Amino acid sequence: MTYKKIVPGIFRQRPNRFIAHVETTEGLQICHVKNTGRCKELLIDGARVYLEECENPKRKTRFDLVAVEKGSLLINIDSQAPNKVAEEFLPTLFPDLTLIRPETVFGDSRFDFYCEINKEPWFVEIKGVTLEQNHIALFPDAPTSRGTKHLRELIRCQNCGYKACVLFIIQMDGVKFFTPNVATDPKFSQALQDAVDSGVSVVAADCIVTPNSLTAKDYVEVRFAR
């Protein structure tokens, strides 16, 4: 996926989870943050960031904050990007894919995709990963009861005769492997292990990141801590 118009800037502060103050060549901008997660290790004063300039004149904010540099690592933090990247990547993940339908309800959950592969029905949930520690990608960066609920519903899908998959889109390149963030959310980590034990497919893929694009690159090893 690509962005239309990217503007570099320097991050200054985040007064709330929706808004960031960023310095650009045109002065201080009030920007929309396209990620409601904490991102505390990324959005620090002085960090180089990238903004997408929006075309809608009715918007209150002119820019969206979509990427940030963490040392030599460029990380996309746009929470809407992983689904777009995944939709492009699913035919690679499932070569016999014949149908992709976004936003499909099953039980009490709305999954990101319903797919048909070799005439088998699949539900696929996408999770974007922006947390990196020592070249290891982790999810989540904050407790997520919603994410745990999705995993439990995927297990139910599997038990009801459907196939199920959770796909972690790692919004950066160069990580060694992916692992659930047990210290931050042990309930999610346990639910992910239970999903694997129930037959749910767990896949992670890293991305090629540029200031104006995000593209799935390759599979990344998934490791579990029992």
Side-chain angles (χ1 to χ4, degrees):
M1 61 154 292
T2 58
Y3 298 102
K4 291 184 179 179
K5 186 176 181 181
I6 290 293
V7 174
I10 302 297
F11 176 84
R12 287 306 175 202
Q13 63 173 329
R14 187 181 186 181
N16 61 57
R17 62 178 181 164
F18 301 107
I19 295 296
H21 294 172
V22 176
E23 287 184 3
T24 70
T25 55
E26 296 183 16
L28 190 67
Q29 308 293 334
I30 298 176
C31 310
H32 172 59
V33 180
K34 297 189 76 175
N35 190 313
T36 57
R38 293 177 180 174
C39 301
K40 288 184 177 180
E41 78 287 354
L42 298 176
L43 298 179
I44 58 177
D45 187 15
R48 187 169 180 82
V49 297
Y50 296 91
L51 314 175
E52 182 184 28
E53 186 171 0
C54 303
E55 298 177 342
N56 184 355
K58 296 182 180 180
R59 274 186 44 144
K60 292 182 180 180
T61 54
R62 178 182 168 191
F63 297 100
D64 288 326
L65 197 165
V66 297
V68 56
E69 292 182 5
K70 180 186 178 185
S72 61
L73 191 64
L74 178 59
I75 301 175
N76 180 290
I77 63 167
D78 180 356
S79 62
Q80 297 177 10
N83 279 35
K84 297 175 183 177
V85 171
E87 190 165 9
E88 297 171 350
F89 183 66
L90 283 174
T92 299
L93 178 60
F94 301 120
D96 297 319
L97 181 69
T98 56
L99 174 68
I100 303 177
R101 186 171 70 218
E103 299 293 327
T104 301
V105 173
F106 177 89
D108 295 328
S109 293
R110 182 185 298 273
F111 292 116
D112 291 315
F113 295 100
Y114 168 81
C115 300
E116 290 184 2
I117 304 155
N118 272 334
K119 299 183 179 179
E120 287 187 319
W122 284 69
F123 284 100
V124 182
E125 181 66 14
I126 311 302
K127 301 297 181 188
V129 181
T130 61
L131 179 60
E132 176 270 342
Q133 295 176 356
N134 298 318
H135 304 290
I136 299 167
L138 300 102
F139 183 94
D141 70 346
T144 171
S145 58
R146 183 171 178 267
T148 300
K149 176 176 176 285
H150 281 150
L151 292 177
R152 297 296 178 195
E153 285 290 323
L154 285 176
I155 293 172
R156 196 156 78 88
C157 289
Q158 193 78 22
N159 292 338
C160 289
Y162 294 88
K163 297 292 186 180
C165 174
V166 56
L167 171 59
F168 292 94
I169 296 293
I170 301 169
Q171 294 169 252
M172 65 195 86
D173 190 10
V175 298
K176 296 176 181 177
F177 59 90
F178 166 83
T179 190
N181 194 349
V182 179
T184 294
D185 193 342
K187 290 183 179 179
F188 178 89
S189 301
Q190 183 59 57
L192 188 63
Q193 183 63 66
D194 292 345
V196 172
D197 293 343
S198 299
V200 175
S201 298
V202 177
V203 182
D206 61 1
C207 290
I208 298 170
V209 186
T210 72
N212 65 351
S213 69
L214 185 68
T215 307
K217 179 187 174 186
D218 203 356
Y219 298 107
V220 169
E221 179 189 357
V222 178
R223 292 187 186 179
F224 296 91
R226 286 189 177 270

